[in-house]
Amino acid sequence: MTEDRRITVVDTTLRDGEQTAGVVFANYEKVRIAKLLDELGVHQIEAGIPVMGGDEQKAITEICKLGLKASIMGWNRPVIKDIETSIACGCDAVAISISTSDIHIKYKLQASRDWVIEQMTKAVEFAKKEGLYVSVNAEDASRSDHDFLVRFALAAKEAGADRLRYCDTVGILDPFSTYEKVRAIIDQVGIEVEMHTHNDFGMATANALAGVKAGANYVGVTVLGLGERAGNAALEEVVMALKYIFNYDLHFKTEIFRDIAEYVSRASGRELPAWKAIVGSNMFAHESGIHADGMLKHPHTYEAFSPEEVGLQRQMVIGKHSGTAAVRAKFAEYGIHLTRHQAQELLPVVRATAVSLKRSLFDKELVYIYEDYFGKRH
Ligand code: MN
């Protein structure tokens, strides 16, 4: 993908992320997360839902006052009072959200398609008159009738909306259908599109990227993919995939990815799994003999990018799957230079210990094994 495309990253950790069942951020945590996202380079931060009032409104106001480089967006229903509250908080941008699928219109809104367009149009016209940047969110867009979605998007454009947020609200898209649907909207409406994808089938990041490939210039994400149900597209995955798979460098300060992930993990009370893509502690841990041997010869044999780029460190893990090359390299770190023969002698003990403990070995345990084994013989 060429760099003349201008991709805008919209982080909604503080809105969709906090909507995760059971997650509540303290106000100071919301402020801290906004600062970290801004430091990283995120272009727009969806900070929350101003009309909720109380602490939510206070936190959003405080974030708006920080003077960050990022645009600060408030989430709104197509209701004038919601938008007025976003303005009162100091937001420069608003997301105006309404469902476009028949199942939502019929059962949730208990209204008609015409009513949906009317509400949206009125709200967008008001927000534009107030000088705000406007994203029109088509909730449940992926399950909406295509012709109606086109009509809705044309009406949004006509009313002055700056972009359409294409929401795969229940996460039912795959990258192939995403590409086709988003491409059709862009071709038929000629409006900027933001991808907002959910991970119910584990494809949130893939679908977000497919949308970008189809021409969406905005991509909505959350730290660690935090979000309703199975979550959203993960910020760190989208940024690194754009760089290494699409060859599109956002020039973000990616070295702080691990720090941001740890902070959001603690603040949300959600674990940060070792196997999490991009920022998990296992991303650069190597144990199996063949991999470790390759790694020692050249790190890129088994790594897509370097650990420092995301604030992690490479780890050589010694355990059941280790080979002699890794054992020798590990002992060399302690200043013990084993011959190949000594390493071969030690390896079965290392492996047996790992099996009996059902885990890899700590550095100290390795030294004890060495002392026991060679101490006995001399
Ligand atoms: Mn969502």
Side-chain angles (χ1 to χ4, degrees), residues 15-16 19 169 196 198 228 232:
R15 200 277 299 169
D16 212 332
Q19 264 173 241
T169 302
H196 180 88
H198 276 273
E228 298 213 56
N232 293 53

Side-chain angles (χ1 to χ4, degrees), residues 199-227:
N199 208 33
D200 298 70
F201 288 91
M203 288 187 276
T205 297
N207 292 339
L209 293 170
V212 168
K213 201 145 206 173
N217 287 324
Y218 294 77
V219 57
V221 293
T222 61
V223 177
L224 293 170
L226 191 68

Side-chain angles (χ1 to χ4, degrees), residues 31-98:
V31 171
R32 179 99 186 102
I33 291 167
K35 283 183 183 169
L36 286 166
L37 292 170
D38 189 61
E39 185 186 349
L40 177 76
V42 163
H43 307 100
Q44 191 168 60
I45 296 168
E46 189 166 57
I49 307 172
V51 81
M52 280 173 63
D55 278 307
E56 179 80 346
Q57 194 172 345
K58 273 188 219 154
I60 297 167
T61 304
E62 206 179 324
I63 290 167
C64 288
K65 282 186 181 151
L66 293 172
L68 302 179
K69 292 188 296 295
S71 157
I72 307 299
M73 174 175 265
W75 189 95
N76 307 261
R77 297 166 300 176
V79 173
I80 304 301
K81 181 173 171 257
D82 286 31
I83 299 165
E84 284 173 339
T85 318
S86 288
I87 295 169
C89 287
C91 297
D92 61 283
V94 286
I96 297 173
S97 192
I98 191 160

Side-chain angles (χ1 to χ4, degrees), residues 61 68 90 139 192 230 279 287 331:
T61 304
L68 302 179
E139 195 188 345
E192 291 285 352
V279 291
E287 179 183 317
F331 275 95

